[in-house]
Structure formats: structure tokens, C-alpha cells
Amino acid sequence: MSSRAMYYAIKVTGGREVDVALLIESRSKALGQEVYSIAILPDLKGYLVVEATGPEAIYNVTKELKYLKKGAPRKLSFSDIELFIKPKPAIELIKEGDLVEVIAGPFKGMRAVIVSIDRAKNDVELNILESEFPLTIKVPGDYVRVVRSGEG
Amino acid sequence: MSSARRARVKMKPFKACRNCKSLVDREAEVCPICKSTNFSEDWEGALFVVSPEKSEVAKALGISRPGRYALRVR
């Protein structure tokens, strides 16, 4: 039972999540505490999720830590944080007409507009804006990053 | 001093490898894990893995070595 991981949400100063996580990481290594991982969840400002064997490990690594806010660590279940850690495929976030930046391949660094999306093949068709003649190419969905949404 | 401090607060301490999602120092030119040179400054969320063999979160994400990883890299 004691070796099973439990999850605790710790409240910290907003914007200092990385600093606190680095401190907890080095402390848990130095003190040999049973901390397995520290997660900074996107969209959840001011909280850290620490995976550890139990509350005593959390207490030992967070004792007198800077940027820590008052309050007992809250226990979470894996299903609570699962939604945050599982990444959405990049292609789900792209819409036709979006202005994107190509981030890999021979057209890396260029801006383009999405013409069509093939979700089954994970491909997107782009119109490269920086070329002198109309140039339409097909690249994998993870090769682009949305700069601005096209419609609304 | 205040401007230096402000800059430190604003800038993220790491950049993320687009290939293996690991977080590396901003000065690094090659990813120490996968030797890729494709980095991104635009990342969100992080996971610091201490014991990959015991961590359920690391297993769920398919991480097998300790280290620092980004959850979303753009």
C-alpha cells in the first residue's frame, strides 16, 4: 500500500511554479524522499501536483519552502489530472483559414494559411504566404503552429 | 538590478525539444536526449520525473528516463 503513488495539489505563488518544482525535485533527491514526479499543469496557475507515497513525503520536501502558500496539500486521484496531462493532437486545434507558422521541414519559419485539413491522414494543406508565386504544399499536422485563428 | 530581476521573471528558464519534449537549458544547442536541434520557446505545463519506474504519470506519457519534460510544445 505504501508504495502506491498518491497525488497532492500544492498551492504556490502564481508564476513561481517552475522555481518551486525545481526546489522540490532537488530536495527529494537530496533527502531520498519517495517523490516520483512533480507536474505543473497547463491552465492551472498557482498549483503543483506532486506524486509521492504519502503525506509525510510531501511534508518533508515542502517544509519551509519559499513561495509556498498556506493550506494542507489536497489529495487528488489520477483521473483528476489525466485530462491535463494527456495532450490533444495538434491537428484538432487547427481550423481552415488559420494563419500558421511552419515549424519543421524545408519551409520551416515561413508563414502560411491553412487551405484544407485531412484529419484521417493527419495532413494539412497550406498556402505559403512568403513565396513569390502561389505555392500550396501538404505537410503533417504537427509541422504547423497556429499564429492567429482565421474566422473569429 | 530591478530590470535584470524583471527579465528573469518574464523569461522561461528552459526551452523544449520539439522531438522528445524534454526541457533543456536555453543555452543548449543540441538536445542531450535525442540529439535534435529543433527547439521551441512556446511550451506549457511541465513534468519533472524523479522515478520513472514508479510514477504512474510518467508511464501514462511513455516516459522512461528521469528528467524534465514539457506537457505541450508548440
Side-chain angles (χ1 to χ4, degrees):
Chain A
M1 185 75 187
S2 64
S3 64
R4 244 195 84 208
M6 290 190 256
Y7 306 91
Y8 295 90
I10 297 174
K11 206 170 182 190
V12 299
T13 308
R16 289 289 185 180
E17 293 90 350
V18 176
D19 302 277
V20 180
L22 285 169
L23 284 170
I24 293 178
E25 186 195 26
S26 60
R27 265 200 193 184
S28 58
K29 280 179 190 163
L31 300 173
Q33 288 297 324
E34 294 281 288
V35 171
Y36 301 149
S37 72
I38 305 124
I40 304 163
L41 303 178
D43 319 319
L44 197 65
K45 207 179 168 189
Y47 284 94
L48 284 181
V49 176
V50 181
E51 184 182 9
T53 42
E56 65 280 0
I58 301 286
Y59 174 76
N60 288 335
V61 292
T62 58
K63 200 163 59 181
E64 288 163 25
L65 208 61
K66 217 176 169 185
Y67 306 125
L68 203 73
K69 288 205 175 169
K70 273 184 191 167
R74 250 223 176 124
K75 204 175 163 189
L76 301 172
S77 66
F78 185 67
S79 56
D80 291 333
I81 60 168
E82 199 177 10
L83 269 178
F84 288 99
I85 59 164
K86 285 266 167 74
K88 260 191 202 167
I91 199 154
E92 298 289 322
L93 307 169
I94 304 170
K95 291 192 298 292
E96 281 174 28
D98 281 0
L99 178 70
V100 296
E101 188 188 330
V102 185
I103 54 173
F107 296 99
K108 187 176 165 184
M110 290 190 178
R111 298 213 161 184
V113 172
I114 302 280
V115 180
S116 68
I117 304 164
D118 187 343
R119 293 193 200 277
K121 285 187 184 166
N122 195 29
D123 274 345
V124 290
E125 211 163 26
L126 315 167
N127 231 335
I128 300 279
L129 296 175
E130 287 166 44
S131 75
E132 287 170 9
F133 47 90
L135 176 62
T136 309
I137 55 161
K138 207 178 230 186
V139 296
D142 347 304
Y143 277 30
V144 297
R145 178 173 72 103
V146 178
V147 177
R148 200 185 62 224
S149 277
E151 292 136 41
Chain B
M1 194 186 120
S2 65
S3 66
R5 210 177 143 175
R6 216 177 310 143
R8 223 197 77 195
V9 170
K10 273 187 113 178
M11 269 209 310
K12 285 183 177 173
F14 303 108
K15 57 184 178 181
C17 171
R18 283 205 177 103
N19 189 25
C20 65
K21 288 190 172 184
S22 65
L23 294 173
V24 298
D25 283 340
R26 299 177 66 89
E27 291 81 29
E29 284 175 7
V30 180
C31 172
I33 307 224
C34 66
K35 311 291 175 214
S36 153
T37 53
N38 193 0
F39 292 107
S40 171
E41 303 270 344
D42 191 3
W43 54 270
E44 270 185 337
L47 182 71
F48 293 8
V49 181
V50 183
S51 312
E53 64 281 353
K54 289 178 186 167
S55 166
E56 300 281 336
V57 184
K59 278 181 203 157
L61 292 174
I63 293 168
S64 56
R65 35 200 297 184
R68 299 167 187 150
Y69 298 87
L71 292 177
R72 276 183 211 160
V73 184
R74 279 194 217 105

